[in-house]
Amino acid sequence: MDTQVGIVGGGPAGLMLSHLLHLQDIEAVIVEARSREKLQTEVRAGVLEQGTVDLLRETGVGERMDQEGAVHHGIELRFNRQGHRIPLSDLTDGREIMLYGQHEVVKDLISTRLDAGGQIFFEAEAVGLHDIETQKPTIRYRHDGQDHELRCDVIAGCDGYYGVCRPSIPSEIRTEYERRYPFGWFGILAEAPPSSEELIYTLHERGFALISTRSPEVQRMYFQCDPDDDVGNWSDEQIWKELRVRTEVHDGWALEEGPIIEKGIVGMRSFAVEPMQYGRLYLAGDAAHIVTPTGAKGMNLAIRDVRTLAEALRAWYEKGRTDLLEDYSNTCLKRAWKAQRFSWWMTSMLHRFPDDEGFQHNLQLAELEYVTSSQAAATSLAENYVGIAFDH
Ligand code: DHB
């Protein structure tokens, strides 16, 4: 089988790329190892930056998001048993964020692609890339128990951290940067009303906690835990107690509780690869970089990568220009490192570090007091949180 752009991976990056290419009359085929059902139900983060929201709307996939998502104009930082609001929109000329689950975005993109005749092979596992240094690279994959080959002009590696694409860049050319953290996030979904109109990020002596939301009926919450912990070690009552203790304030605010319908532990790491391209292979999203979840940048960054790639491919197919494709890695890496910095900074400010004897905790409180009392510092947080401009 032949196509123009072979996309490995049908997460947000692969799906959005195929959608953008379709709007530019460029043909693409997605090869995705997971089932459609799994992609559409996997619980991931749920904060969309203004730029992501705009892109979804402009390209015709924002309708359900606008009906079911919730626009937020601020977040709360909580420490020393007190909340402090960061007015994101006031500090960023009215920019806002949207609370809408990543798997909902995935669902919308899949149906939009399939309705437009897009080709997505689900449960098709890519086993290797070949000839990526030539003008006809191929993706080998297994589907329905048979081996297949997809010949393309270009391969987009959107297959996540564990996929086959990144290791296809020869190791002499590839530099990988990684930082691991001595904690994870215990995440739950609960059937309960919202506890707050805005997200609450809190630092407590026992560690980080985050109160987020998915809908008026379903809430998403996280608390810092041992990365090797097991969800089975925690009863629902222990989970609520931990969340209550960490989010407690002086003013009588109370956490809304209800049946827990989902539990999981999220790992915490920062990762980046340079370069993000080799021959006719271009990496996007988690295949190229992982950011810590604090600030929910992961999917937003993936969407920015593929927007850049789609623009570069358009210039190449329509005008024969190669400059944007040649710059792809540099353009994306500059942005990705800024998202790394912000996510690392939020993570460092808001978590308890196991080997800290108090010095770091006091620095964290100083940082939080600074961010919540200085307009300059709050503005820096806000512009990163809503997403810095696409071309910066
Ligand atoms: C959510 C996840 C995040 O990592 C974050 O910073 C904010 C919200 C969420 O899943 O709702």
Side-chain angles (χ1 to χ4, degrees):
M1 188 176 181
D2 282 72
T3 191
Q4 288 178 290
V5 181
I7 302 176
V8 187
L15 288 165
M16 190 67 195
L17 179 62
S18 115
H19 177 56
L20 294 174
L21 292 175
H22 169 69
L23 299 177
Q24 298 170 186
D25 290 324
I26 298 170
E27 189 192 88
V29 173
I30 298 179
V31 175
E32 164 58 53
R34 291 164 290 179
S35 66
R36 179 176 181 183
E37 170 68 18
K38 176 126 174 89
L39 283 173
Q40 295 189 161
T41 50
E42 241 172 358
V43 181
R44 307 291 295 269
V47 179
L48 309 186
E49 292 175 352
Q50 177 81 63
T52 304
V53 171
D54 292 344
L55 187 66
L56 291 170
R57 282 185 187 139
E58 281 160 19
T59 62
V61 274
E63 200 175 318
R64 206 165 62 91
M65 170 190 75
D66 278 324
Q67 282 161 10
E68 297 178 17
V71 172
H72 286 208
H73 300 283
I75 57 167
E76 181 181 324
L77 295 179
R78 200 172 267 199
F79 56 98
N80 285 339
R81 291 168 183 69
Q82 244 186 337
H84 305 259
R85 181 166 191 263
I86 305 285
L88 298 174
S89 301
D90 294 347
L91 295 169
T92 58
D93 291 329
R95 293 169 76 78
E96 38 190 54
I97 52 162
M98 175 78 80
L99 267 283
Y100 188 62
Q102 173 171 322
H103 66 278
E104 304 293 351
V105 176
V106 163
K107 213 185 279 179
D108 297 342
L109 283 167
I110 290 176
S111 64
T112 303
R113 283 311 294 125
L114 294 179
D115 288 350
Q119 294 219 59
I120 309 174
F121 293 114
F122 296 104
E123 295 171 75
E125 189 186 1
V127 288
L129 309 186
H130 297 272
D131 304 326
I132 54 178
E133 289 154 20
T134 73
Q135 305 202 349
K136 273 287 161 200
T138 58
I139 300 167
R140 292 213 182 124
Y141 64 97
R142 275 192 82 73
H143 186 48
D144 286 339
Q146 290 194 332
D147 292 322
H148 301 266
E149 257 191 28
L150 179 62
R151 282 180 302 276
C152 350
D153 299 334
V154 161
I155 297 174
C158 307
D159 54 346
Y161 180 77
Y162 296 103
V164 297
C165 289
R166 189 180 63 256
S168 304
I169 300 180
S171 55
E172 321 81 81
I173 288 168
R174 187 163 30 103
T175 306
E176 299 190 346
Y177 302 91
E178 181 163 29
R179 175 166 293 190
R180 286 174 180 274
Y181 299 79
F183 40 78
W185 278 10
F186 196 115
I188 64 162
L189 280 177
E191 284 173 351
S195 298
S196 157
E197 281 180 11
E198 296 180 339
L199 269 56
I200 303 172
Y201 288 83
T202 169
L203 173 65
H204 181 273
E205 299 88 273
R206 292 182 61 81
F208 170 78
L210 168 59
I211 308 298
S212 179
T213 183
R214 283 294 177 274
S215 71
E217 297 83 29
V218 176
Q219 311 312 316
R220 179 81 169 139
M221 301 174 207
Y222 304 91
F223 60 92
Q224 175 182 351
C225 66
D226 185 322
D228 300 319
D229 207 344
D230 189 288
V231 291
N233 294 336
W234 290 77
S235 69
D236 289 8
E237 184 40 39
Q238 284 171 311
I239 293 170
W240 287 119
K241 183 164 177 235
E242 198 61 45
L243 282 164
R244 271 196 306 268
V245 167
R246 296 193 194 186
T247 56
E248 195 184 21
V249 271
H250 293 305
D251 68 5
W253 174 91
L255 186 64
E256 296 280 0
E257 300 175 20
I260 296 178
I261 52 174
E262 152 95 33
K263 305 176 203 182
I265 292 182
V266 185
M268 186 77 54
R269 91 161 78 115
S270 310
F271 172 84
V273 67
E274 279 180 25
M276 283 173 57
Q277 68 193 82
Y278 175 71
R280 289 282 180 101
L281 168 66
Y282 299 86
L283 302 178
D286 285 3
H289 37 64
I290 304 281
V291 297
T292 53
T294 331
K297 289 284 160 234
M299 181 177 77
N300 294 290
L301 197 53
I303 299 281
R304 284 169 178 248
D305 287 347
V306 298
R307 191 173 149 193
T308 299
L309 186 54
E311 284 174 7
L313 286 168
R314 169 193 247 159
W316 184 53
Y317 276 115
E318 285 182 6
K319 305 201 183 79
R321 274 176 60 182
T322 55
D323 55 329
L324 296 180
L325 276 177
E326 282 158 13
D327 286 347
Y328 172 75
S329 179
N330 286 338
T331 306
C332 291
L333 277 167
K334 264 194 207 163
R335 218 163 36 209
W337 278 110
K338 286 185 191 152
Q340 285 288 9
R341 185 205 69 82
F342 177 67
S343 306
W344 162 85
W345 174 74
M346 288 280 280
T347 301
S348 309
M349 179 169 69
L350 289 163
H351 290 74
R352 206 182 83 79
F353 285 74
D355 55 359
D356 176 35
E357 289 169 359
F359 184 82
Q360 188 160 358
H361 188 66
N362 280 293
L363 284 182
Q364 290 169 317
L365 293 176
E367 183 96 50
L368 283 162
E369 279 187 20
Y370 178 52
V371 165
T372 53
S373 61
S374 150
Q375 172 138 332
T379 305
S380 167
L381 188 157
E383 73 172 353
N384 279 277
Y385 200 95
V386 301
I388 41 187
F390 181 68
D391 44 8
H392 284 76

